[in-house]
Structures are given as C-alpha cells and as structure tokens.
Amino acid sequence: MKIPDAFRVIPERHSDRRGHFYEAFRARELSEAVGHSFSVAQVNCSVSRRNTLRGVHGTVMPPGTAKLATCVRGAVLDVVVDLRTGSPTFGAYDVTELDEATDVSVYLADGLGHAFLTLTEDACVFYLCSAEYQPGTMIEVNPLDPALDLPWNLSEPPLMSDKDRVAPTLAEAAAAGYLPSYKQCQALYRQLRVAGVG
C-alpha cells in the first residue's frame, strides 16, 4: 500500500463445483512479505449492521498491536491511517474494499490506525492480532476528522460508538502526546526482524 508497513494480502483462490478454498493466513509467508515476524496472540470478530463506522483505532507503544483484518461476510470499506508521528506519511490513509467475494485481507503493522464502514447488513470482520487486548492501551481518533477527510461518502449519519463519536482529531491526539512515534515503531520492527525474519 502507499503507507509503509501496510499491505494487502491477496490469496490464491481454488474453485470447483462445491465452492472455493483459500489459505487466509500463513505465518511464515506473511512475515517474509512484511519483513518481520507476525505471531497471533488474539483473534477478534466484529459483526456490524450496515452503515456502521468503527475506528480509527490503534494501540499505544508499547505494547502496540499488528493486525490482519479480513471480511468473511458482507462488505466493508476498510481504511488504514498512519498514526505514527514523524512518519513521512503521517495522517495519510489507504482504502481497500474488503468483502467475502474477493478474500482480500489488510495487514497493519504496529502504529497504524484502522477503521471501516460496513456496506452491507450483518458484515463480519475477523482480526488476527499480535498482542492480547490490554485495557487503557487503545488509541481512538475521530473517523470524521475533517482534516483527515476519509472518503466515507456517507449518504446518512453512520452508526458509531459514543467513544468514536467524541474521539479527538488526529491533531488533538498528536498534541496530547499519546500517538506512537515513527521512531518507536521502526525500532520495534527492527527488533521483530532480528527475532523472527532475517
């Protein structure tokens, strides 16, 4: 993707008269592609009504959390936002439509933010996470921040949690000092590279 350390994962689909099969995740291949190890510590499942807007969510460093997100039912407009202060792409975003028909996934390294808008009823997104959830470590940035100008193309007000609705803008979050730094994230990626993938 245009944001460093974010990747689209496009599996090879094998179809026949019964349906289709694909490998959604293979640790070694993903780790080689992203340049550092990715191990799964927690799996989350999000089921949402149409026009639900979730995010922008990230995790403070440490502990950080890398994610592999896949829409296994319905369709979502998935957005990755660079939350790393000092990054050459700080505040930039990348958009991918994830749906059950294409099997595409999105990988986000530690320090990147994630949001999505559900395009269908009963959309289901699975996340493979590199760390277990720790209360008090979540970062929320308002997905309707006018400065971010994320391309939701809303025709009606979205369904949002109260926490997301009142979340700070990216500038406010940066000024408060709770966003991860690009330098912190690069140091972690190097550590993971040494520990996992040459």
Side-chain angles (χ1 to χ4, degrees):
M1 299 171 104
K2 68 182 178 187
I3 297 174
D5 309 306
F7 295 83
R8 283 186 190 90
V9 179
I10 304 170
E12 181 180 352
R13 180 185 276 205
H14 304 278
S15 300
D16 63 24
R17 60 188 168 82
R18 300 167 298 171
H20 70 273
F21 169 87
Y22 67 96
E23 289 183 359
F25 170 70
R26 187 182 285 201
R28 181 184 50 79
E29 287 188 10
L30 181 64
S31 295
E32 287 174 357
V34 303
H36 51 79
S37 63
F38 175 74
S39 58
V40 178
Q42 182 171 317
V43 178
N44 298 333
C45 178
S46 171
V47 179
S48 307
R49 296 172 55 191
R50 188 191 66 79
N51 201 44
T52 295
L53 182 55
R54 295 184 184 265
V56 176
H57 298 153
T59 310
V60 299
M61 298 283 290
T65 303
K67 297 175 185 173
L68 181 69
T70 308
C71 183
V72 296
R73 185 175 61 232
V76 302
L77 187 68
D78 188 272
V79 176
V80 177
V81 179
D82 194 343
L83 301 179
R84 302 168 297 184
T85 59
S87 166
T89 54
F90 176 69
Y93 63 83
D94 218 324
V95 179
T96 305
E97 188 167 322
L98 300 181
D99 60 48
E100 61 184 306
T102 63
D103 309 323
V104 172
S105 298
V106 170
Y107 171 82
L108 306 86
D110 303 82
L112 301 178
H114 185 245
F116 65 82
L117 176 70
T118 55
L119 305 176
T120 60
E121 283 295 339
D122 205 30
C124 181
V125 177
F126 263 73
Y127 303 85
L128 305 184
C129 303
S130 66
E132 293 180 14
Y133 169 73
Q134 295 181 32
T137 63
M138 291 299 297
I139 295 171
E140 290 94 16
V141 171
N142 195 309
L144 300 176
D145 176 356
L148 278 176
D149 194 28
L150 300 177
W152 301 122
N153 299 320
L154 296 166
S155 58
E156 59 187 299
L159 300 170
M160 297 173 66
S161 70
D162 292 339
K163 190 163 43 172
D164 287 346
R165 188 174 303 284
V166 300
T169 65
L170 184 65
E172 291 167 340
Y178 78 103
L179 295 181
S181 76
Y182 187 65
K183 186 176 179 180
Q184 279 178 306
C185 294
Q186 291 301 309
L188 175 63
Y189 306 156
R190 283 192 298 275
Q191 181 183 358
L192 291 171
R193 190 166 17 258
V194 169
V197 177

